[in-house]
Amino acid sequence: MQGQVYLVGGAVRDALLGVKVYDRDWVVVGATPEAMLVAGFEQVGKDFPVFLHPKTKEEYALARTERKSGTGYHGFEVSASQEVTLEEDLIRRDLTINAMARDDAGKIIDPYGGQVDLQNRVLRHVSPAFSEDPLRVLRVARFAAKLAPFGFRLHADTAELMRQMAASGELDALTPERVWQEVVKALSTTQPSVFFAVLAEVGALRVLFPWLADLQGVEQPAKHHPEGDAWVHTLLVLDAAAELSDDIGVRFAALVHDLGKGVTPRELWPKHHGHEAAGLPLVEAFCASYRVPKKIEALALKVTQWHGVIHTGLDSDGKPYLKPKTYLKVIQSCGYFKQPEVLEQVLLACKADARGRTGFEQAAYPQAAFWLALAQAAGQVDNQEILAQGFKGAEIATAIERKRIELIEAFIEAYAVDNGV
């Protein structure tokens, strides 16, 4: 094949970090699109020449330069001529640790100090051209979350550049779909709180996610929340959810469950009575702004609405606390009788909420097992038995609900005896 091929970007970085490499990207220097096609590659790039290898299907991009010609992350003029050098291609990348290449002999080409920054655990931009692409604010925050287990930190100059970008209005050019894509990637990391903490540090949280920014500095009752304000609590809950579940829906629900605290009048602090209901329209606004999938939104709304009630399903002594009708209302709202797995997701987010507090990181959460067992008991209704009693029309639903209440009452009574409460 015409040209010199180099492995670039994340694959080089991760190999040097000792992380398993899953995706590999390649740059070809000195080739033409025609030569790539003759060699059997399939062109997929529209804005610039990117090709799929005929066998591995890995991406091979022609070395290119970019020049800012408009607003947003699409406003670039791209040149992919044969004269573009590897160094010219690498300098347009975001971070020095992503601007390294490796040739077919295994030699690392590192013109911008990526290896030193990798050793020093520093996230530093390659050049001032970083500021031309607003998406890089999100990408760097995501890399901070991805690499948090290694102790990476933002270089002061990069943080300042990101602040300037957040204040410039350039972030407004980001499409909802692209922002959500970065959020999903961030939520998939082991420490997703870092993504949002970095955005807050550089002033981008207020621009992109004002509902989350409103939680900063909001006081909570110290007895139940020794960690401090609602923002700190939210980040702890998010990371607790990441420990408990790989489900993006559960993690997102954990992130937004307390948005209602951000609109509690200051004079009512540190109490937040009714914050669950107050949070519902805020979750809806968040999801509408970034076109969050409906399934994920539905779960987030259930967690927002019911987490307080679910916590109080058992009192501080472990005794069932609510009325049977209230238990049934929550179970039905979570769709247990049609999709029992949804209640399990809700309870995972609630467990994360309980653990996302300083000193409670490994606390037991008996409510989860209690609610699941209660729901299972309430589901043991013999519909044929109900029909055999002669009920018709709306009477059938009423009879089924009455039977479920009876089953819940029996379960609560047995639970109290078995647990000595």
Side-chain angles (χ1 to χ4, degrees), residues 298 301-302 305-306 327-337 342 346:
L301 289 170
K302 287 178 173 61
Q305 181 176 9
W306 296 118
Y327 285 118
L328 181 58
K329 183 178 181 180
V330 174
I331 293 168
Q332 288 176 325
S333 175
C334 291
Y336 176 81
F337 301 118
V342 174
V346 170

Side-chain angles (χ1 to χ4, degrees), residues 174-181 184 211 252 283-297:
L174 295 171
T175 66
E177 294 83 359
R178 200 65 184 85
V179 173
W180 175 246
Q181 186 177 349
V184 169
W211 318 275
F252 179 72
V283 174
E284 290 174 342
F286 187 132
C287 293
S289 294
Y290 292 110
R291 300 174 188 173
V292 175
K294 290 298 181 183
K295 186 177 181 179
I296 292 178
E297 178 182 8

